[in-house]
Amino acid sequence: MLTFEEKLNIIETFPQLVRKEVSLNRVNFHFPESQFEKKIVVYHLHPNGNGFVYAAGLPGYETDRKGFVNIREFSEPALILLLQDAIKALETVETVETLEETWINDNQFELTLLNEDLDTWLVYAGDLLDGAFNSYKEAANYLEEEGFRRK
């Protein structure tokens, strides 16, 4: 296990991180250039060696419900890799093209299928939300079951 000082030395090699002292001799490191609301990369690094790094959505890391991974037992190479991955994830904004399709039934009634983000497909009847789905396939199945087809 790396000591508090060793972890500090590793973290401080990342010039894009800004050190912030917090209570109980703990230290946070912020990433001010984050493209997201989340700015804290290293959370509550404690003199006993415990601490957390934000890794929500990063494959291969077991995180808590807030998206942090405990780094208490991390080796130097593992900590460096995690910090690189965390910073890269916070500085990268994925662009998602908005997909919009019109679906119509035999009575010429139209519904709009819209994808506004990576995880949500919405069906609108005019301005009214008719349904929300986790995938295009789920939304399309719903529309087909209701007698609609792509226009």
Side-chain angles (χ1 to χ4, degrees), residues 2-126:
L2 297 170
T3 66
F4 173 73
E5 290 77 20
E6 291 169 327
K7 288 177 183 166
L8 270 179
N9 288 336
I10 292 166
I11 296 164
E12 288 175 341
T13 65
F14 291 87
Q16 59 272 60
L17 298 180
V18 176
R19 182 179 174 151
K20 305 277 185 173
E21 303 290 329
V22 292
S23 62
L24 304 173
N25 297 318
R26 295 175 297 187
V27 180
N28 288 349
F29 284 85
H30 294 234
F31 179 46
E33 301 303 315
S34 174
Q35 298 298 305
F36 303 90
E37 275 188 43
K38 176 56 77 184
K39 303 286 186 204
I40 297 175
V41 173
V42 178
Y43 180 70
H44 286 179
L45 182 62
H46 192 276
N48 69 8
N50 202 24
F52 304 88
V53 171
Y54 186 71
L58 295 177
Y61 297 103
E62 187 174 323
T63 62
D64 63 16
R65 63 181 176 79
K66 293 182 180 179
F68 287 94
V69 62
N70 190 308
I71 60 168
R72 182 175 189 82
E73 302 295 327
F74 271 49
S75 66
E76 181 175 349
L79 180 56
I80 290 169
L81 181 61
L82 173 58
L83 290 167
Q84 289 170 339
D85 289 346
I87 291 167
K88 183 178 180 183
L90 291 174
E91 68 187 0
T92 305
V93 176
E94 290 185 34
T95 57
V96 177
E97 287 187 36
T98 301
L99 172 73
E100 185 173 331
E101 293 180 347
T102 301
W103 289 62
I104 192 166
N105 68 7
D106 291 337
N107 296 325
Q108 302 304 304
F109 187 77
E110 293 183 358
L111 294 178
T112 303
L113 176 59
L114 182 66
N115 174 242
E116 293 181 334
D117 62 44
L118 291 173
D119 300 320
T120 308
W121 294 83
L122 306 173
V123 175
Y124 285 96

